[in-house]
Amino acid sequence: MSQSKLSELTWREVRRSGEDGIALLPIGSQEQHAAHLPMGTDTLLVEEVVERALDLLAREAHHPEVVLLPALPFGHSPHHLFAAAVSLSAATLSAVLDDILDSLVTSGHRRILIVNGHGGNDEIMRLAVKRFALRSEATVAACSYWTLTSAGHEVGRPDVTPGHAGWFETSLMLAARPDLVRTPVHARTPVEPPPLFDNPPYPGLTVERHGEWARVGGSTDDPSTADAASGGQLLDDRAQGLARAIAAFDAATQ
Amino acid sequence: MSQSKLSELTWREVRRSGEDGIALLPIGSQEQHAAHLPMGTDTLLVEEVVERALDLLAREAHHPEVVLLPALPFGHSPHHLFAAAVSLSAATLSAVLDDILDSLVTSGHRRILIVNGHGGNDEIMRLAVKRFALRSEATVAACSYWTLTSAGHEVGRPDVTPGHAGWFETSLMLAARPDLVRTPVHARTPVEPPPLFDNPPYPGLTVERHGEWARVGGSTDDPSTADAASGGQLLDDRAQGLARAIAAFDAATQ
Amino acid sequence: MSQSKLSELTWREVRRSGEDGIALLPIGSQEQHAAHLPMGTDTLLVEEVVERALDLLAREAHHPEVVLLPALPFGHSPHHLFAAAVSLSAATLSAVLDDILDSLVTSGHRRILIVNGHGGNDEIMRLAVKRFALRSEATVAACSYWTLTSAGHEVGRPDVTPGHAGWFETSLMLAARPDLVRTPVHARTPVEPPPLFDNPPYPGLTVERHGEWARVGGSTDDPSTADAASGGQLLDDRAQGLARAIAAFDAATQ
Amino acid sequence: MSQSKLSELTWREVRRSGEDGIALLPIGSQEQHAAHLPMGTDTLLVEEVVERALDLLAREAHHPEVVLLPALPFGHSPHHLFAAAVSLSAATLSAVLDDILDSLVTSGHRRILIVNGHGGNDEIMRLAVKRFALRSEATVAACSYWTLTSAGHEVGRPDVTPGHAGWFETSLMLAARPDLVRTPVHARTPVEPPPLFDNPPYPGLTVERHGEWARVGGSTDDPSTADAASGGQLLDDRAQGLARAIAAFDAATQ
Amino acid sequence: MSQSKLSELTWREVRRSGEDGIALLPIGSQEQHAAHLPMGTDTLLVEEVVERALDLLAREAHHPEVVLLPALPFGHSPHHLFAAAVSLSAATLSAVLDDILDSLVTSGHRRILIVNGHGGNDEIMRLAVKRFALRSEATVAACSYWTLTSAGHEVGRPDVTPGHAGWFETSLMLAARPDLVRTPVHARTPVEPPPLFDNPPYPGLTVERHGEWARVGGSTDDPSTADAASGGQLLDDRAQGLARAIAAFDAATQ
Amino acid sequence: MSQSKLSELTWREVRRSGEDGIALLPIGSQEQHAAHLPMGTDTLLVEEVVERALDLLAREAHHPEVVLLPALPFGHSPHHLFAAAVSLSAATLSAVLDDILDSLVTSGHRRILIVNGHGGNDEIMRLAVKRFALRSEATVAACSYWTLTSAGHEVGRPDVTPGHAGWFETSLMLAARPDLVRTPVHARTPVEPPPLFDNPPYPGLTVERHGEWARVGGSTDDPSTADAASGGQLLDDRAQGLARAIAAFDAATQ
């Protein structure tokens, strides 16, 4: 079998898989997702996309060998602690990623892919990937699941993708884990002005204001129009995108 | 329901559960377990014991509310990197535990229990627990699953409990996840002298010698006599012990 | 005068400026820029854009008070050390930004803008900005100078903007500091395959491969077609963009 | 002479001693020991036991060469700062032990023994020992003096050994340094419930509650029945245990 | 040309200059300098002295090749934050110096000189220099500009040299940057007792008392008698001293 | 009694002594001192000077209360590891001093004096003292024992004071611990050029060259002319200086 879970392999199988395989690490978060979505939303969704992508790959005649690591269920979410979160600091998450990447190389792997489910992990993941490639003779790729699409660019509603606990994530959860969505999903009262972190005053500018997440109630856009059908299409599209990205990464780094 | 998974709760439910509930964090490892057991053995076993213990508690008329966190699937395993492991350094694992404990308190919890599945995590967990109780007005407990028994003391084979990839862990895996045990389990060739870390030259002395794990081939005792029946009894006994410990912790810290 | 240099102010003037003013910190780098551009290219260009932007603002009737800090002349450039660089580690640059931001707040400022001239600083700057807004009752903005345009989106050659030591940076230097460009600028021999960090195998994927900067000779695209006229237009356009962004930041955070 | 103090040796003698000798580092603490024992109790007692053990060894025909380092007089005692202590943080003590162990190896030693006098140092010492053996081609042992007995197991009063400022430590101090014990030693008023750190609600569980040391008045059990005769026997027994442990360590690591 | 600015060199020129040249790094500060001097006084003065010294060297027939780095405009000034400063912590400044020194060696330099303009940087600079020479096969020198005189010892007013925002620095600024001195410079009201950090109770003792800089108003001695003529002579004398020191360093480390 | 050892006090006595007393911490080193002096020379000498100074103070009618801490026997000696040393890194020693100073304040002290016996500790001690006074409402003094003289300035042989393992230290050891000096003390072969760290090429310049301590054989000047009589006078003079410095510190910080 060319797709496997690292936690179920013996160490000799890990060593063998490292010769040609790609080690895949999903990372998520545990953080407030408004009144209707569960704390583990980001972790659940990234695991869902990865599982679907690996299923798609498995159906192809020739496909890369992938060794799936257990997802890191905790991410960098200090901005959600005003409500509830289990958050690793940036320094801690950086160290975790460094240690995992170094362990994989020491254990024989030379191609690694991190798939991220939480926006707050993004810069930390990118820095970890750059650091790693400087110190190790290996190649490492990274992405956030929502940036990979079958078309190579967003075709749904880019204005609210991925957002936080809004139309996009709620649709995906209605498709993937409807049992965990508290329904009916109530409409979000508009907040004025909208949060600066999501609506910078000038294109290309990043702005962070103290207390902004609490002021806007913990979400970025209205989830009440989300639907499971859209969510299913979005999930399949991301899975397609991830499957193609894995194949392309494999081809480019033989 | 008084037992729940944190990843499936909304943040308001997490806040409510923190008032009287106990947050339970399992921690495991991904590391070589000889030729016959999988890398995730410690994580799988601690999750199995926790699940059985929570099931036992759920059957009782009065029982504490427990909120189960996702298991931390990676532990401190630098001594297994000679073969294969995904290991966090002591500093990293310490930081992860600090961040998780602090997050839980910030999110409203005041009673926390860590249940450990890997010997190499033990001192790091103990130090984290002590640090935490000094800086936070909270109470935190910690244990390794194999130290909790229904009788309050070991009744099986204390000479090889827990060991590493030997009789104890192999028996438990034959009971919990027989599909992941590569059979037949071959007898372990005796190593002379036996590893100093497991056989100190004088009682009460700890001795660590460079290269010892590689020298002895990565396990502590012969797994070939392990059996599923013993494993099932041992698992049930640990689950009983953990259930009683949770109830006692609850009673002592109301 | 409503625009001033922090290094030329007395401490009482700094305190007064902090009440309504915006503190602006440029950050650059010292790193190889191929055979024709100097080590300080990124620092020189960010200082040039900032100076032009402040000149534009100064001509307007109503404009925000800006206090310009000395540029940090060193950035995060470990990937250029194969040739030559004076590089701060990610941890060091993070600490420098933390210390500067904290100092400004302690000295009375509550609105701060970082303008970056080097791609390698980007994630570190973003993380510093997010950390800062969580711990301080202040608002902080950040941008890389090439992302701010008068139109709000790129109109020149987005395929090679900003690149490294290629058409974009060479054009800007030919306009800003032609004395420092070694001419004639020779055409860059194409490298096959092009660098993975600049040409990911699938859209949305980040890939870092060991030794890639050395393999491709330290630049991303052909600088030989660069010209001063384009460079002057690009500089003016960025200065326009930055001036508008400062005004918009001022308006949004009164 | 085959037993010597490192502080009295020249560097060439240190180098020579490293070839076959065992470097021995005592570590203690400065912390409150109730109303009747001095701050340095743990340091004084570990030094006493080490001195007696080395005297015992010196009388034997064949005995290992031991180089005694100056005792580290400060340990990890944050839990005693509510009264008085000179405490190193866990990170600091870890760094001190790392630096001492690395220095000894760099100076030519390859066998090292740490003898501890303070419970709070235990996990930190164990982690330091494990880290060290992974990075250096050396062997290192560690123990707390009260765990080494001539019989190989406790024969006195295990229920209150070692405790803190109770029967055990008071008896030892009455034997070793009676001039420093404030007499009469008053009986300790029972505290209900007893401290959770010393009386876990279930066997095998570790529990730490905020403020517990202050609540119970800084000691674990009644010191008023302590006597010098028992203390002398206990000291001799530990010295015997340590002497045998040193000989066994020497034999196992030739 | 044998004197050059690193920021204006291409990387190949940096590599070539490293073979025989001396890399020179000025470090300064941004901190309160009483009511009459600007925040950047220390940086401006060290840059002035370095520029004059390099001019002097350039007139000599045979002189060492010097590559001037951009000045680090920020230093360690936590004691001035009561008024205003942009301060790096000791740990941060240490890391910055380590990174710069390591980068220079990696980029081919083997002789480096740090010239300091701020007393608070002194110990940090010295430690960085010592650390560096232990880990790298290179030679590094360091000085504070006021300690280098043409005579080899102070001939002006050693009692108030360098002081802080007093006679010495004010005289130098009146000579170097009179436009930045707020005149008339008012006499400083004597403070009793004078600050302990500048007036230790016994020769050879260092004393630091909490709040001392705020108590004495941020300066050490009366600046009102400062004059530009003395300042010019002092500057020239320091420049002479630095030029001779550079030549001597060059000769001693060929 | 107004002079006491912290290790012999109960915690309540420590608390009381903190109200008016001065806590005194000696710090030393364990490092090579050429062929004739022991590793612990710096620690032994600083303890000797402190003991003599406290004896002198005790004879005076009115004298400050001093609480003597156990000496820290290890210092910062990485430059001596080429031969033999037990060295703490600069970061570790900094942390140790921070922890000790913080512990003393938490335990009730507000006036602290560090007396140093090893040149390599100097900058680290100064930085620790400055940091401490910024964060704590306390006063702290520091000195190296050789800088305190009865006359307030050096009257012996300043050219070789203190040096390392040369005339000064050897004389003191011949007076204080002649049993530990290996005699006859052989003359030191002159080294050309003399070590740069002790003989800078220009006054006021600090120069550190890789491998310099090994090149010059581990000492700074000829010890063969040292004599016990001079050593005794030097020791008494330093003790006088320290006693006066303590009294002056006491008077200045009532």
Side-chain angles (χ1 to χ4, degrees):
Chain A
M1 187 188 66
S2 64
Q3 290 178 8
S4 53
K5 296 185 176 179
L6 179 131
S7 64
E8 300 185 353
L9 299 181
T10 67
W11 75 266
R12 285 207 173 82
E13 293 162 352
V14 170
R15 286 270 169 190
R16 271 196 298 274
S17 74
E19 290 167 21
D20 296 309
I22 295 172
L24 193 162
L25 172 71
I27 59 175
S29 79
Q30 301 293 324
E31 67 187 28
Q32 71 85 14
H33 274 77
H36 63 293
L37 294 182
M39 297 278 288
T41 294
D42 294 345
T43 307
L44 294 164
L45 290 178
V46 73
E47 288 184 311
E48 182 75 22
V49 171
V50 166
E51 186 182 323
R52 292 187 185 204
L54 295 184
D55 282 349
L56 289 172
L57 280 179
R59 290 180 212 153
E60 298 181 14
H62 299 288
H63 57 86
E65 182 180 359
V66 176
V67 178
L68 180 62
L69 275 79
L72 180 69
F74 309 111
H76 180 58
S77 312
H79 43 308
H80 295 299
L81 279 166
F82 76 95
V86 180
S87 172
L88 307 183
S89 76
T92 302
L93 180 53
S94 296
V96 168
L97 295 178
D98 286 353
D99 288 359
I100 292 175
L101 292 170
D102 285 344
S103 292
L104 287 169
V105 164
T106 305
S107 300
H109 276 264
R110 61 179 183 84
R111 298 191 301 166
I112 305 170
L113 170 62
I114 306 177
V115 185
N116 174 40
H118 166 51
N121 296 339
D122 182 72
E123 293 97 345
I124 298 167
M125 173 182 69
R126 288 173 184 272
L127 285 170
V129 158
K130 291 182 177 176
R131 267 197 306 274
F132 176 70
L134 283 169
R135 73 176 178 274
S136 296
E137 294 201 10
T139 307
V140 60
C143 61
S144 291
Y145 76 81
W146 59 86
T147 65
L148 300 178
T149 61
S150 63
H153 59 271
E154 185 58 51
V155 293
R157 292 186 53 195
D159 57 317
V160 291
T161 299
H164 180 79
W167 175 83
F168 180 80
E169 290 189 336
T170 305
S171 295
L172 267 61
M173 285 296 284
L174 285 170
R177 292 297 304 271
D179 57 312
L180 295 180
V181 183
R182 276 63 170 177
T183 52
V185 177
H186 297 291
R188 180 179 177 272
T189 315
V191 182
E192 280 305 321
L196 276 174
F197 61 76
D198 207 41
N199 302 266
Y202 197 81
L205 202 64
T206 294
V207 182
E208 297 285 340
R209 178 157 56 184
H210 188 70
E212 201 76 344
W213 275 97
R215 182 177 69 81
V216 304
S219 68
T220 55
D221 60 279
D222 182 19
S224 65
T225 59
D227 68 296
S230 298
Q233 290 169 353
L234 290 165
L235 275 175
D236 281 337
D237 188 63
R238 261 63 190 183
Q240 280 278 3
L242 178 55
R244 293 186 188 176
I246 292 173
F249 176 54
D250 179 57
T253 58
Q254 287 292 355
Chain B
M1 187 187 68
S2 64
Q3 291 179 8
S4 52
K5 296 185 175 178
L6 179 130
S7 65
E8 300 185 353
L9 298 181
T10 66
W11 75 265
R12 285 207 172 83
E13 293 163 353
V14 170
R15 286 269 168 189
R16 271 195 299 275
S17 74
E19 291 167 20
D20 297 308
I22 296 171
L24 193 162
L25 173 72
I27 60 176
S29 79
Q30 301 294 324
E31 67 186 30
Q32 71 85 13
H33 274 78
H36 62 295
L37 294 182
M39 297 278 288
T41 294
D42 296 344
T43 306
L44 293 165
L45 289 178
V46 72
E47 288 184 312
E48 181 76 20
V49 171
V50 166
E51 186 183 323
R52 292 187 186 204
L54 295 184
D55 283 349
L56 289 173
L57 280 179
R59 289 179 211 154
E60 298 181 14
H62 300 287
H63 58 85
E65 182 181 358
V66 175
V67 177
L68 181 61
L69 275 79
L72 180 70
F74 309 111
H76 181 59
S77 311
H79 43 307
H80 294 299
L81 279 167
F82 76 95
V86 181
S87 172
L88 305 183
S89 75
T92 302
L93 181 53
S94 296
V96 168
L97 295 178
D98 286 354
D99 288 358
I100 292 175
L101 292 171
D102 285 343
S103 292
L104 287 169
V105 165
T106 304
S107 300
H109 276 263
R110 61 181 182 82
R111 299 191 300 167
I112 305 170
L113 170 62
I114 305 177
V115 184
N116 174 40
H118 165 52
N121 297 339
D122 183 70
E123 294 97 345
I124 297 166
M125 174 182 69
R126 287 172 185 273
L127 285 170
V129 158
K130 291 182 177 177
R131 268 197 306 273
F132 176 70
L134 283 169
R135 72 176 179 272
S136 296
E137 294 200 12
T139 307
V140 60
C143 61
S144 291
Y145 77 81
W146 58 86
T147 65
L148 299 178
T149 59
S150 64
H153 59 269
E154 185 58 52
V155 293
R157 294 186 51 195
D159 58 317
V160 290
T161 299
H164 180 80
W167 175 84
F168 180 80
E169 290 189 336
T170 305
S171 294
L172 268 62
M173 284 297 284
L174 286 169
R177 293 294 306 271
D179 57 313
L180 296 180
V181 183
R182 277 64 171 174
T183 52
V185 176
H186 298 292
R188 177 179 179 274
T189 315
V191 182
E192 279 305 322
L196 276 174
F197 61 77
D198 208 41
N199 301 267
Y202 197 80
L205 202 63
T206 294
V207 182
E208 298 285 340
R209 177 157 56 183
H210 188 72
E212 201 76 345
W213 274 97
R215 182 177 69 81
V216 304
S219 68
T220 55
D221 59 280
D222 181 18
S224 65
T225 59
D227 68 297
S230 298
Q233 289 168 355
L234 290 164
L235 275 175
D236 281 337
D237 188 61
R238 261 62 190 185
Q240 280 279 0
L242 178 56
R244 291 185 191 179
I246 292 172
F249 176 54
D250 179 58
T253 58
Q254 287 293 352
Chain C
M1 188 187 67
S2 64
Q3 291 179 9
S4 53
K5 296 184 176 179
L6 180 131
S7 66
E8 300 186 353
L9 299 181
T10 67
W11 75 266
R12 285 206 173 84
E13 293 163 354
V14 170
R15 285 269 168 189
R16 271 196 298 275
S17 74
E19 291 166 20
D20 297 310
I22 296 171
L24 192 163
L25 173 71
I27 60 176
S29 79
Q30 301 293 325
E31 67 186 30
Q32 71 85 14
H33 273 78
H36 63 294
L37 293 182
M39 298 277 288
T41 294
D42 295 344
T43 307
L44 293 165
L45 290 178
V46 73
E47 288 184 313
E48 181 75 22
V49 171
V50 166
E51 186 182 323
R52 293 187 185 205
L54 295 184
D55 283 349
L56 289 173
L57 279 179
R59 290 180 211 153
E60 297 181 13
H62 299 287
H63 58 84
E65 181 179 358
V66 175
V67 177
L68 180 62
L69 275 80
L72 180 69
F74 309 111
H76 181 59
S77 310
H79 43 308
H80 294 299
L81 280 166
F82 76 95
V86 181
S87 172
L88 306 182
S89 76
T92 302
L93 180 53
S94 296
V96 168
L97 295 179
D98 286 354
D99 288 358
I100 292 176
L101 292 171
D102 285 344
S103 292
L104 287 170
V105 164
T106 305
S107 300
H109 276 264
R110 63 180 181 82
R111 298 190 300 167
I112 305 171
L113 171 62
I114 306 178
V115 184
N116 174 40
H118 165 52
N121 296 338
D122 183 70
E123 294 96 346
I124 298 166
M125 174 181 69
R126 288 172 184 273
L127 285 169
V129 158
K130 290 182 177 177
R131 267 198 307 273
F132 176 69
L134 282 169
R135 72 176 180 273
S136 296
E137 295 201 9
T139 307
V140 60
C143 60
S144 291
Y145 76 81
W146 58 85
T147 65
L148 299 178
T149 59
S150 62
H153 60 270
E154 185 58 49
V155 293
R157 292 186 52 195
D159 57 317
V160 290
T161 300
H164 180 79
W167 175 84
F168 180 81
E169 289 189 338
T170 305
S171 294
L172 268 61
M173 284 297 283
L174 284 170
R177 292 297 304 271
D179 57 312
L180 296 179
V181 183
R182 277 65 171 173
T183 52
V185 177
H186 297 292
R188 178 178 178 273
T189 314
V191 182
E192 279 305 322
L196 275 174
F197 59 78
D198 207 42
N199 302 266
Y202 197 79
L205 202 64
T206 293
V207 181
E208 298 284 340
R209 177 157 57 183
H210 188 71
E212 201 75 344
W213 275 98
R215 182 178 68 81
V216 304
S219 67
T220 55
D221 59 281
D222 182 18
S224 66
T225 59
D227 67 297
S230 298
Q233 290 168 353
L234 290 165
L235 274 175
D236 281 337
D237 188 62
R238 261 62 189 183
Q240 280 278 2
L242 178 55
R244 292 185 189 177
I246 292 173
F249 176 54
D250 179 58
T253 59
Q254 288 292 353
Chain D
M1 188 187 65
S2 64
Q3 290 178 9
S4 53
K5 296 184 177 180
L6 179 131
S7 65
E8 300 185 353
L9 299 180
T10 67
W11 75 266
R12 284 206 173 81
E13 294 163 353
V14 170
R15 285 270 169 189
R16 271 196 298 274
S17 74
E19 291 166 20
D20 296 310
I22 296 170
L24 193 162
L25 172 72
I27 60 175
S29 79
Q30 301 293 324
E31 67 186 29
Q32 71 85 14
H33 274 79
H36 63 294
L37 293 181
M39 297 278 289
T41 294
D42 295 345
T43 308
L44 293 164
L45 290 178
V46 73
E47 287 184 313
E48 181 75 21
V49 171
V50 166
E51 186 183 322
R52 293 187 185 204
L54 295 185
D55 284 349
L56 289 172
L57 279 179
R59 290 180 211 153
E60 298 180 15
H62 299 288
H63 59 85
E65 181 180 359
V66 175
V67 177
L68 181 61
L69 275 80
L72 180 70
F74 309 110
H76 181 58
S77 311
H79 44 308
H80 295 299
L81 279 167
F82 76 95
V86 181
S87 172
L88 306 183
S89 75
T92 302
L93 181 54
S94 296
V96 168
L97 295 178
D98 286 353
D99 287 358
I100 292 175
L101 292 170
D102 285 344
S103 293
L104 287 169
V105 165
T106 305
S107 300
H109 276 265
R110 61 180 182 82
R111 298 190 301 166
I112 305 171
L113 171 61
I114 305 178
V115 184
N116 174 40
H118 165 53
N121 297 339
D122 183 70
E123 293 98 345
I124 298 167
M125 174 181 70
R126 287 173 184 273
L127 285 170
V129 158
K130 290 183 178 177
R131 267 197 306 273
F132 176 69
L134 283 169
R135 73 176 178 272
S136 296
E137 294 201 11
T139 308
V140 60
C143 61
S144 291
Y145 77 81
W146 58 87
T147 65
L148 299 178
T149 61
S150 64
H153 60 270
E154 185 58 51
V155 292
R157 293 186 52 196
D159 57 318
V160 290
T161 299
H164 180 79
W167 175 84
F168 180 80
E169 290 190 337
T170 305
S171 294
L172 267 62
M173 285 298 283
L174 284 170
R177 291 297 303 273
D179 58 311
L180 295 180
V181 183
R182 276 65 170 173
T183 53
V185 177
H186 297 292
R188 178 178 179 274
T189 315
V191 182
E192 279 305 322
L196 276 174
F197 61 77
D198 207 41
N199 301 266
Y202 197 80
L205 201 64
T206 293
V207 182
E208 298 285 339
R209 177 157 57 183
H210 188 71
E212 201 76 345
W213 275 97
R215 182 177 69 81
V216 304
S219 68
T220 56
D221 59 280
D222 182 19
S224 65
T225 59
D227 67 297
S230 299
Q233 290 168 355
L234 290 164
L235 275 175
D236 281 337
D237 188 61
R238 260 64 189 185
Q240 280 278 2
L242 178 55
R244 292 185 189 177
I246 293 172
F249 177 54
D250 179 58
T253 59
Q254 287 293 353
Chain E
M1 188 187 66
S2 64
Q3 290 179 10
S4 53
K5 295 185 177 178
L6 179 131
S7 65
E8 300 185 353
L9 300 180
T10 67
W11 75 266
R12 285 207 173 82
E13 293 163 353
V14 170
R15 285 271 168 188
R16 272 195 298 274
S17 73
E19 290 167 21
D20 297 309
I22 296 171
L24 192 162
L25 172 71
I27 60 175
S29 79
Q30 301 293 325
E31 67 186 29
Q32 71 85 15
H33 273 79
H36 63 293
L37 293 182
M39 298 277 288
T41 294
D42 295 345
T43 307
L44 294 165
L45 289 179
V46 73
E47 289 184 313
E48 181 75 23
V49 171
V50 166
E51 186 183 322
R52 293 187 185 205
L54 295 185
D55 283 350
L56 290 172
L57 280 179
R59 291 180 212 152
E60 299 180 14
H62 298 288
H63 58 85
E65 182 180 357
V66 175
V67 177
L68 180 62
L69 275 80
L72 181 69
F74 309 110
H76 180 59
S77 312
H79 43 310
H80 295 299
L81 279 167
F82 75 95
V86 181
S87 172
L88 306 183
S89 75
T92 302
L93 180 53
S94 297
V96 168
L97 295 178
D98 286 354
D99 288 358
I100 292 176
L101 293 170
D102 285 343
S103 293
L104 287 170
V105 165
T106 305
S107 300
H109 276 264
R110 60 179 182 84
R111 298 191 300 166
I112 305 171
L113 170 63
I114 305 177
V115 184
N116 173 40
H118 166 52
N121 296 338
D122 183 70
E123 294 96 345
I124 298 166
M125 175 181 69
R126 288 173 185 273
L127 286 169
V129 158
K130 290 182 178 177
R131 266 197 306 274
F132 176 70
L134 283 169
R135 74 176 177 271
S136 296
E137 294 201 11
T139 307
V140 60
C143 60
S144 291
Y145 77 83
W146 58 87
T147 65
L148 299 178
T149 59
S150 62
H153 60 270
E154 185 58 52
V155 292
R157 293 186 52 196
D159 58 317
V160 291
T161 299
H164 181 78
W167 175 83
F168 180 80
E169 290 189 337
T170 306
S171 295
L172 268 62
M173 285 296 283
L174 284 170
R177 292 297 305 270
D179 58 311
L180 296 180
V181 183
R182 276 64 170 174
T183 53
V185 176
H186 298 291
R188 179 177 178 273
T189 314
V191 181
E192 279 305 323
L196 276 174
F197 60 77
D198 207 41
N199 301 266
Y202 197 81
L205 201 64
T206 293
V207 181
E208 298 284 340
R209 177 157 57 184
H210 188 70
E212 202 76 344
W213 274 97
R215 183 177 69 79
V216 305
S219 67
T220 55
D221 60 281
D222 182 18
S224 65
T225 60
D227 68 296
S230 299
Q233 289 168 355
L234 290 165
L235 275 175
D236 281 337
D237 188 63
R238 260 62 190 185
Q240 280 279 2
L242 179 55
R244 292 185 189 178
I246 292 172
F249 176 54
D250 179 58
T253 58
Q254 287 292 354
Chain F
M1 187 187 66
S2 64
Q3 291 179 7
S4 53
K5 295 185 176 179
L6 179 131
S7 65
E8 300 185 353
L9 299 181
T10 66
W11 74 267
R12 286 206 172 82
E13 293 163 354
V14 170
R15 285 270 168 188
R16 271 196 298 275
S17 74
E19 291 167 19
D20 297 308
I22 295 170
L24 193 162
L25 172 71
I27 60 175
S29 80
Q30 302 293 324
E31 68 185 29
Q32 71 84 15
H33 274 78
H36 63 292
L37 294 182
M39 298 278 287
T41 294
D42 295 344
T43 307
L44 294 164
L45 290 178
V46 72
E47 288 184 313
E48 181 75 22
V49 171
V50 166
E51 186 181 323
R52 293 187 185 204
L54 294 184
D55 284 349
L56 289 173
L57 279 179
R59 291 179 211 152
E60 298 181 15
H62 298 289
H63 59 84
E65 181 181 359
V66 175
V67 177
L68 181 61
L69 275 80
L72 181 68
F74 309 110
H76 181 59
S77 311
H79 43 309
H80 295 298
L81 279 167
F82 76 95
V86 181
S87 172
L88 307 183
S89 75
T92 302
L93 180 53
S94 296
V96 168
L97 295 178
D98 286 353
D99 288 358
I100 292 176
L101 292 170
D102 285 344
S103 293
L104 287 170
V105 164
T106 304
S107 300
H109 276 264
R110 61 181 182 84
R111 297 191 301 167
I112 306 170
L113 171 62
I114 305 177
V115 185
N116 173 39
H118 165 51
N121 296 339
D122 183 70
E123 294 97 346
I124 297 166
M125 173 182 69
R126 288 173 185 272
L127 285 170
V129 158
K130 291 182 177 177
R131 266 197 307 273
F132 176 70
L134 282 169
R135 73 177 179 272
S136 296
E137 295 201 11
T139 307
V140 61
C143 60
S144 291
Y145 77 81
W146 58 86
T147 65
L148 299 178
T149 61
S150 64
H153 60 269
E154 185 59 51
V155 293
R157 292 187 52 196
D159 58 316
V160 290
T161 300
H164 181 79
W167 175 83
F168 180 81
E169 290 189 337
T170 306
S171 295
L172 267 62
M173 285 297 283
L174 285 170
R177 292 297 304 272
D179 57 312
L180 295 180
V181 184
R182 277 63 170 174
T183 53
V185 177
H186 298 291
R188 179 178 178 273
T189 314
V191 181
E192 279 306 322
L196 275 175
F197 60 78
D198 208 41
N199 302 268
Y202 197 80
L205 202 64
T206 294
V207 182
E208 298 285 339
R209 178 156 57 184
H210 189 71
E212 200 76 343
W213 275 97
R215 182 178 68 82
V216 304
S219 68
T220 56
D221 59 280
D222 182 17
S224 66
T225 60
D227 67 298
S230 297
Q233 289 168 354
L234 289 165
L235 275 175
D236 281 337
D237 188 62
R238 260 63 190 184
Q240 279 279 2
L242 179 56
R244 292 185 189 178
I246 292 173
F249 176 54
D250 179 57
T253 58
Q254 288 292 353

